[in-house]
Amino acid sequence: DAMVIQNPRYQVTQFGKPVTLSCSQTLNHNVMYWYQQKSSQAPKLLFHYYDKDFNNEADTPDNFQSRRPNTSFCFLDIRSPGLGDTAMYLCATSRDTGRTEAFFGQGTRLTVV
Amino acid sequence: QQQVKQSPQSLIVQKGGISIINCAYENTAFDYFPWYQQFPGKGPALLIAIRPDVSEKKEGRFTISFNKSAKQFSLHIMDSQPGDSATYFCAANGNQFYFGTGTSLTVIP
């Protein structure tokens, strides 16, 4: 049974056209993460929420935004996608920060054309 | 700055052999060290994890060795099987997860 669900699995968007990716969890975890993973690279943390507290990585472009309206859902908004934003976007959750495991969704493969 | 350094980048092992992947870190605040397995087109899945108060953890064919003083840890896959062919990421967690650069493992029959 999937515990972290990402939608859609595949998304194609045009250059500059806003796109939203969604993530939901059934684990009731406090922390939700968004990672960007480009081909043959490690996942790169974009930001995370601890409950309602938003924590942005210093090098995350302003073009990337996130919303967490409740415990179960988290969204990644890309305001003006560029070709370089083509990647797999991974959502993960953990019960807490530190000393706990993270559970990943299947990812959304985003292609910007 | 890469918080967790991983090697090798790719690894080819014969079926039945031992696969060894190494990671090193600098930040002594890290207190949880998981290994993730990722198949193409899928999200990473937790394989095994260790905390710094133990030097070794074994689960089936998978073993993590942890050297706190050297700030290094490694994954050993015993009796490697073709189904183990995947990309493996080490990670370290202080208050967020940092991933190594990944190792593409191919186990040939």
Side-chain angles (χ1 to χ4, degrees), chain A residues 9-10 33 35 37 40-43 45 48 57 88 90 94 96-107 109, chain B residues 2 9 31-32 34 36 38 41-46 49 51-53 89 93-102:
Chain A
R9 290 293 313 279
Y10 303 92
Y33 307 84
Y35 288 86
Q37 186 178 27
S40 302
Q41 295 184 21
L45 182 65
H48 74 278
E57 290 298 292
M88 173 81 90
L90 296 164
S94 64
D96 207 334
T97 56
R99 287 206 166 209
T100 59
E101 61 187 284
F103 294 85
F104 282 82
Q106 296 280 42
R109 168 76 61 188
Chain B
Q2 187 68 34
Q9 187 175 0
D31 59 4
Y32 181 73
Y36 286 86
Q38 186 176 28
K42 304 289 187 182
L46 179 69
R51 296 190 167 94
D53 47 355
F89 292 98
N93 188 13
N95 62 353
Q96 58 188 261
F97 283 88
Y98 294 97
F99 285 84
T101 48

Side-chain angles (χ1 to χ4, degrees), chain A residues 41-108:
Chain A
Q41 295 184 21
K44 178 181 180 298
L45 182 65
L46 295 174
F47 24 59
H48 74 278
Y49 275 94
Y50 190 105
D51 196 13
K52 295 184 185 300
D53 292 332
F54 178 70
N55 299 272
N56 198 29
E57 290 298 292
D59 57 353
T60 298
D62 292 341
N63 198 26
F64 291 85
Q65 304 285 318
S66 185
R67 296 170 282 136
R68 188 178 186 185
N70 54 52
T71 300
S72 300
F73 285 87
C74 195
F75 299 97
L76 170 61
D77 301 307
I78 309 175
R79 293 190 296 186
S80 182
L83 299 179
D85 297 329
T86 291
M88 173 81 90
Y89 290 86
L90 296 164
C91 174
T93 74
S94 64
R95 183 168 41 82
D96 207 334
T97 56
R99 287 206 166 209
T100 59
E101 61 187 284
F103 294 85
F104 282 82
Q106 296 280 42
T108 294

